[in-house]
Amino acid sequence: MASRTASRALRSSLRQTVKAPAVQQRTFVSAVNAASRPALAQAPKAAAPFVQQRGVKTVDFAGHKEDVYERADWPREKLLEYFKNDTLALIGYGSQGHGQGLNLRDNGLNVIVGVRKDGASWKEAVQDGWQPGVNLFEVDEAVQKGTIVMNLLSDAAQKETWSRLKPMITKGKTLYFSHGFSPVFKDRTNVEVPSDVDVILVAPKGSGRTVRSLFKEGRGINSSVAVYQDVTGKALEKAVAMGVAVGSGYLYETTFEKEVYSDLYGERGCLMGGIHGMFLAQYEVLRENGHTPSEAFNETVEEATQSLYPLIGKNGMDYMYEACSTTARRGAIDWSKRFKENLKPLFEELYESTRNGTETQRTLDYAGRPDYRQAFEKEMEEIRNLEIWRAGKAVRSLRPENA
């Protein structure tokens, strides 16, 4: 697409606003305003008399009404009062553990981290200010101390450690996940949850680093929330409160099954695998037809990620079509139908592979290999050495902010 298309789209984005149904607009304006309030970044205040009132907003998503829970429903004082008798034991300090743990700590809650002593995660936690013997412990000790056990280990590690950890998750505790993988595919992971505890899920729709960065900016990521087992009758309420506490701006309700199916499917499709495959295919055809690496990368990746995708994210695909040139508009609409016709069967195959557990087993088999890290690094090295990404490194260096 010619650069004038992107320029026109950028100019148009400054002039236009997106129209939405009134009920939805009010709801999300409220959510944005709530996300920008400084209360979460302030020092803890004395807790006010606590009256439990859970707010729920009903939003029309393209004709389908859903309940949405907002951060405004759970101000910091309310979170501190709600969790005043709890110890949140965060197990694992990977991407999600890092982001959620630091947000919980900044929110003033009683959170401890459990990881293998003197391992890489232990050292990272110490660098982040967690103190051994105070709020940093080995996994078993943290689980025993916790009233809410946040199992944020990798999917493969959850399978490996479950038989040891399960007896420590005793009656009255709450078991928390950020991915439905282990309990949903229990026939493959052996993660059979205890029958006398609440089992909840908060799944941020982004990496742990994004969970952390949006929280620090005074915003909040959107997350899905689900209940697998409700023993106390308060599991959903607890899940929503935890979602806000870890940094969510708003949460929508789903199930463990739907969360894991959509997550595995999306990662392999448009979010990562599919988009990378499309990038490679388009780039290679351009190169095979005599286009230079810089031109092929700019027309495949740079314009997409730096100009068009952000505008789609902000205002929608219909807006993008309206903002571009007639030539681009006509071609994009026509060819999108061809892409859909050809890709939908592949996506149907992918979804079934996710639902029937094939993708789960592939993940467990791969992550369970003794040479897993070496094999992964070999694959990453192959990707780094692809011409498209070597060209991309040079193109990125030319951006004004990198001059």
Side-chain angles (χ1 to χ4, degrees), residues 317-374:
M317 195 71 217
D318 54 338
Y319 167 82
M320 189 70 262
Y321 282 146
E322 292 169 356
C324 70
S325 69
T326 302
T327 301
R329 181 186 306 157
R330 183 69 268 141
I333 293 174
D334 290 344
W335 278 89
S336 69
K337 297 172 183 176
R338 296 277 305 277
F339 276 106
K340 178 187 173 182
E341 291 169 0
N342 283 275
L343 290 174
K344 190 172 179 182
L346 185 61
F347 275 98
E348 290 171 339
E349 180 183 343
L350 170 57
Y351 191 85
E352 180 57 29
S353 183
T354 297
R355 180 167 51 190
N356 66 26
T358 299
E359 295 305 307
T360 297
Q361 194 59 53
R362 284 172 55 82
T363 298
L364 293 172
D365 290 345
Y366 181 70
R369 290 170 48 178
D371 65 340
Y372 157 68
R373 294 188 182 281
Q374 295 91 326

Side-chain angles (χ1 to χ4, degrees), residues 199-213:
V199 183
I200 61 176
L201 172 143
V202 174
K205 299 296 99 179
S207 72
R209 296 189 182 279
T210 307
V211 172
R212 180 60 177 162
S213 63

Side-chain angles (χ1 to χ4, degrees), residues 157-390:
Q158 288 185 22
K159 177 184 178 181
E160 294 172 4
T161 59
W162 183 246
S163 61
R164 189 179 87 248
L165 299 184
K166 181 178 178 180
M168 304 176 198
I169 303 172
T170 53
K171 184 177 181 179
K173 294 192 176 189
T174 296
L175 181 58
Y176 169 108
F177 293 96
S178 282
H179 192 19
F181 189 100
S182 292
V184 170
F185 294 109
K186 59 186 177 182
D187 58 326
R188 299 171 187 266
T189 64
N190 299 317
V191 177
E192 187 77 51
V193 302
S195 61
D196 54 0
V197 302
D198 286 347
V199 183
I200 61 176
L201 172 143
V202 174
K205 299 296 99 179
S207 72
R209 296 189 182 279
T210 307
V211 172
R212 180 60 177 162
S213 63
L214 291 180
F215 177 86
K216 290 172 70 176
E217 291 171 13
R219 301 163 62 192
I221 198 166
N222 70 308
S223 302
S224 56
V225 60
V227 172
Y228 189 80
Q229 185 169 274
D230 187 359
V231 173
T232 65
K234 297 182 178 179
L236 179 58
E237 176 181 87
K238 196 183 311 179
V240 172
M242 283 294 296
V244 174
V246 302
S248 304
Y250 71 91
L251 304 102
Y252 58 91
E253 193 172 352
T254 185
T255 67
F256 270 60
E257 289 81 3
K258 288 179 180 177
E259 187 281 329
V260 71
Y261 294 164
S262 61
D263 188 74
L264 295 180
Y265 173 76
E267 290 168 347
R268 287 152 177 75
C270 289
L271 298 181
M272 295 173 65
I275 199 68
H276 190 204
M278 187 175 292
F279 280 161
L280 293 177
Q282 177 166 310
Y283 180 90
E284 289 175 7
V285 169
L286 285 170
R287 291 288 289 121
E288 289 162 3
N289 282 276
H291 297 267
T292 64
S294 64
E295 183 174 52
F297 185 85
N298 276 310
E299 292 296 335
T300 300
V301 179
E302 190 74 352
E303 187 171 352
T305 59
Q306 298 304 299
S307 176
L308 304 188
Y309 290 176
L311 292 176
I312 295 169
K314 181 178 180 181
N315 295 325
M317 195 71 217
D318 54 338
Y319 167 82
M320 189 70 262
Y321 282 146
E322 292 169 356
C324 70
S325 69
T326 302
T327 301
R329 181 186 306 157
R330 183 69 268 141
I333 293 174
D334 290 344
W335 278 89
S336 69
K337 297 172 183 176
R338 296 277 305 277
F339 276 106
K340 178 187 173 182
E341 291 169 0
N342 283 275
L343 290 174
K344 190 172 179 182
L346 185 61
F347 275 98
E348 290 171 339
E349 180 183 343
L350 170 57
Y351 191 85
E352 180 57 29
S353 183
T354 297
R355 180 167 51 190
N356 66 26
T358 299
E359 295 305 307
T360 297
Q361 194 59 53
R362 284 172 55 82
T363 298
L364 293 172
D365 290 345
Y366 181 70
R369 290 170 48 178
D371 65 340
Y372 157 68
R373 294 188 182 281
Q374 295 91 326
F376 174 71
E377 176 54 31
K378 182 178 179 181
E379 289 180 305
M380 290 302 96
E381 189 63 20
E382 291 173 355
I383 292 174
R384 292 186 202 107
N385 286 329
L386 289 172
E387 184 187 270
I388 183 174
W389 301 119
R390 289 188 286 115

Side-chain angles (χ1 to χ4, degrees), residues 68-87:
V68 172
Y69 304 86
E70 295 180 337
R71 186 168 73 179
D73 302 324
W74 288 90
R76 190 177 188 187
E77 292 83 357
K78 186 174 175 180
L79 290 174
L80 291 171
E81 178 66 20
Y82 190 82
F83 291 113
K84 66 181 180 182
N85 296 321
D86 284 304
T87 297

